[in-house]
Amino acid sequence: MSQTLGPVAALLLGVFFLVTGSGLQNTLLPLRGAFEGFSAINLGILGSSYYLGFVVGCLVVPHLVRRSGHIRAFAALTSGVVATMVAHPLFIDPYFWFALRTVTGFCFAGLYLVIESWLNDRATNQTRGFVMSAYVMVDYAALTAGQMMITLYPVRSFELFALAAILFSLATLPVAITSSGQPAPIETARIRLLRLFRAAPVAMVGCFVIGLTNGSLWSLGPIFGIGRGLTADGAATFMSAVVVAGALAQWPIGFLSDRMDRRRILAALLVGAMLASLTLGAMEFGLLGLSALGLFYGALALPAYSLAAAHAYDRTPASDAVETAAGLLLLYGIGSVVGPALASFGMQHYGPGALFFFNAGAYTLLLLFVVWRVSMREPARKPEPAIEPMSEPIASTPTGTVPRPESEPPRRRWPWLRAKKAPKRAPTSSAKPPVRPSAGREEASRTADTFPTEQDGRSDGA
């Protein structure tokens, strides 16, 4: 374990600080917006604005990483997140917050691109599931810690915004001073989605659909809890239960996915996530019941992204890690732009349960696609026609025929070849040696008295 995670320990520590601040921010902003009178549509657009910037960042940030390197890009983007976090409480206006969230999404797209490409540069196909699971476990543990920090100060106070900014600032320290080498500078900054889709269609479609569901959950999950009658602290507890279960499930699922087809495990998780979503949407429970269902939902739904991402990295060259990460995050971001907007529209018209009904429908569609891809088989090969006796050599290996051992007695399977034997010519001193069509006939020339000069049809020496 130490050999696998040691080279990325500083990066994972930076991820912990970064995502702890993000968890606090993601819970604080919708709750503060609700207390300030923002409508459900505005809160949905607030989440979509973040992912709109996320999509733009996936397209632009690879050029920044190519120009500045992973560490400098990480530090620059983190400073942008700190600035936008402090600006939120200065102007309480939905449109101003939309702009700030767009900038925040842009920065986080670059940060996740740097993190995931760095991790996969240090992983192999045999350890990728373990490394990605460790990363997602740190990610979700930090989200839980950040969400629970909402209880430290009142939602309408400035202290929570300042605390999130401090956590973002701390994320830069371990990454900037690490002694581990960063990945080599990338040569290209292209995002070829069609090429990625041909290599790993399940991963590409999966990241888009998981963006639909996770984007809706992070943007509107606290509002769902408030709609079910929970307090702000209760909504944070519900979200923390979801995240804790997702973090705990990462390790065994990642370990298993390194030994089985990741798509089959993904399909099994989607079945459970669909059932949990339907139960959360249809049933009304108190804090204890919602938290229990949240544990079940998180354990099945949240590991899906790491499975899809690991499947994509398995199917693409290691030199394309940045391009692959950018493509996955781009599709995840596009899904996360659409998801909160659609889910918030349903919540405003049909109640808070519409959030999880929407997620259940998305998981069902993804499950059907995964099952279809897993069930596909290569077309059966047509039986090869029987090989008729030939006078040309038949090679059993790419290097030609294999000479017989000298101790093996000569055996003739096709005696009728003698009738086709060419008459023997007396060698003359001026005649040129005959041109042999293959190296495999050298043995035949050595035993001309006992073997026919034509190929006897056997090339394996048996």
Side-chain angles (χ1 to χ4, degrees):
M1 181 185 301
S2 59
Q3 293 180 350
T4 303
L5 298 181
V8 294
L11 180 62
L12 292 178
L13 181 59
V15 169
F16 180 81
F17 287 121
L18 182 71
V19 180
T20 301
S22 177
L24 175 56
Q25 180 189 54
N26 291 341
T27 305
L28 172 62
L29 292 181
L31 292 177
R32 178 65 178 268
F35 283 122
E36 296 293 343
F38 292 8
S39 66
I41 296 294
N42 284 336
L43 294 175
I45 295 175
L46 190 65
S48 296
S49 299
Y50 171 87
Y51 290 106
L52 177 62
F54 198 95
V55 170
V56 176
C58 291
L59 298 173
V60 176
V61 171
H63 299 278
L64 175 62
V65 177
R66 181 185 180 186
R67 178 180 178 181
S68 304
H70 288 68
I71 292 178
R72 290 182 178 179
F74 187 93
L77 294 168
T78 303
S79 65
V81 173
V82 174
T84 56
M85 190 69 226
V86 176
H88 276 91
L90 300 180
F91 302 96
I92 308 296
D93 179 79
Y95 296 101
F96 183 71
W97 280 25
F98 295 162
L100 292 177
R101 289 297 282 167
T102 303
V103 175
T104 303
F106 177 90
C107 294
F108 265 97
L111 290 168
Y112 280 121
L113 187 149
V114 169
I115 292 166
E116 294 189 13
S117 62
W118 196 333
L119 289 172
N120 282 278
D121 183 77
R122 296 292 184 263
T124 64
N125 286 353
Q126 289 72 35
T127 62
R128 182 165 289 114
F130 179 78
V131 171
M132 290 297 292
S133 296
Y135 158 62
V136 178
M137 283 187 66
V138 171
D139 188 276
Y140 288 158
L143 275 177
T144 304
Q147 289 168 350
M148 294 308 297
M149 286 182 179
I150 198 75
T151 62
L152 297 178
Y153 300 98
V155 171
R156 294 188 178 184
S157 67
F158 177 78
E159 287 85 355
L160 291 175
F161 291 92
L163 181 58
I166 292 171
L167 291 168
F168 290 142
S169 300
L170 292 175
T172 310
L173 295 179
V175 176
I177 65 176
T178 179
S179 59
S180 299
Q182 63 177 330
I186 60 175
E187 298 180 358
T188 62
R190 294 177 295 175
I191 300 178
R192 295 168 287 186
L193 292 181
L194 183 59
R195 178 172 177 265
L196 291 175
F197 180 82
R198 289 173 178 171
V202 168
M204 302 301 284
V205 175
C207 285
F208 172 75
V209 175
I210 294 166
L212 290 174
T213 57
N214 285 6
S216 301
L217 176 68
W218 303 135
S219 301
L220 301 170
I223 306 305
F224 167 82
I226 297 294
R228 290 298 197 207
L230 302 181
T231 63
D233 293 350
T237 302
F238 165 72
M239 292 297 296
S240 297
V242 174
V243 175
V244 166
L248 294 177
Q250 288 295 326
W251 209 302
I253 290 175
F255 180 84
L256 188 62
S257 72
D258 285 336
R259 289 153 180 80
M260 294 178 59
D261 188 343
R262 302 189 202 275
R263 299 174 300 174
R264 296 180 182 273
I265 301 176
L266 177 61
L269 293 179
L270 291 172
V271 173
M274 177 187 64
L275 296 175
S277 297
L278 290 174
T279 305
L280 280 167
M283 303 294 182
E284 294 191 10
F285 298 95
L287 175 59
L288 183 60
L290 286 177
S291 298
L293 284 173
L295 289 170
F296 186 65
Y297 175 85
L300 296 168
L302 298 188
Y305 177 79
S306 62
L307 281 178
H311 177 66
Y313 290 118
D314 287 343
R315 300 294 185 92
T316 53
S319 58
D320 294 341
V322 172
E323 179 181 343
T324 302
L328 296 177
L329 292 173
L330 176 62
L331 287 175
Y332 181 88
I334 293 174
S336 299
V337 171
V338 178
L342 294 178
S344 64
F345 180 83
M347 291 176 71
Q348 182 158 340
H349 289 82
Y350 302 105
L355 168 63
F356 286 100
F357 286 133
F358 172 78
N359 286 1
Y363 288 134
T364 302
L365 294 177
L366 178 57
L367 174 64
L368 294 175
F369 180 78
V370 173
V371 170
W372 173 62
R373 291 297 305 179
V374 171
S375 64
M376 292 182 66
R377 295 290 186 270
E378 295 183 359
R381 294 182 179 179
K382 295 182 180 180
E384 297 181 359
I387 301 176
E388 298 180 358
M390 301 173 61
S391 60
E392 295 296 325
I394 304 175
S396 62
T397 65
T399 58
T401 57
V402 180
R404 300 179 179 85
E406 294 182 359
S407 61
E408 182 183 355
R411 292 180 293 175
R412 300 188 183 89
R413 295 174 57 186
W414 297 339
W416 54 269
L417 283 174
R418 286 187 166 195
K420 298 182 181 180
K421 182 178 178 181
K424 219 174 192 182
R425 295 182 181 179
T428 60
S429 59
S430 61
K432 295 181 179 180
V435 179
R436 296 172 176 81
S438 68
R441 296 191 181 182
E442 294 181 4
E443 184 66 21
S445 67
R446 298 192 191 101
T447 59
D449 295 334
T450 58
F451 285 84
T453 56
E454 297 292 333
Q455 172 73 18
D456 67 354
R458 294 184 300 164
S459 60
D460 56 357

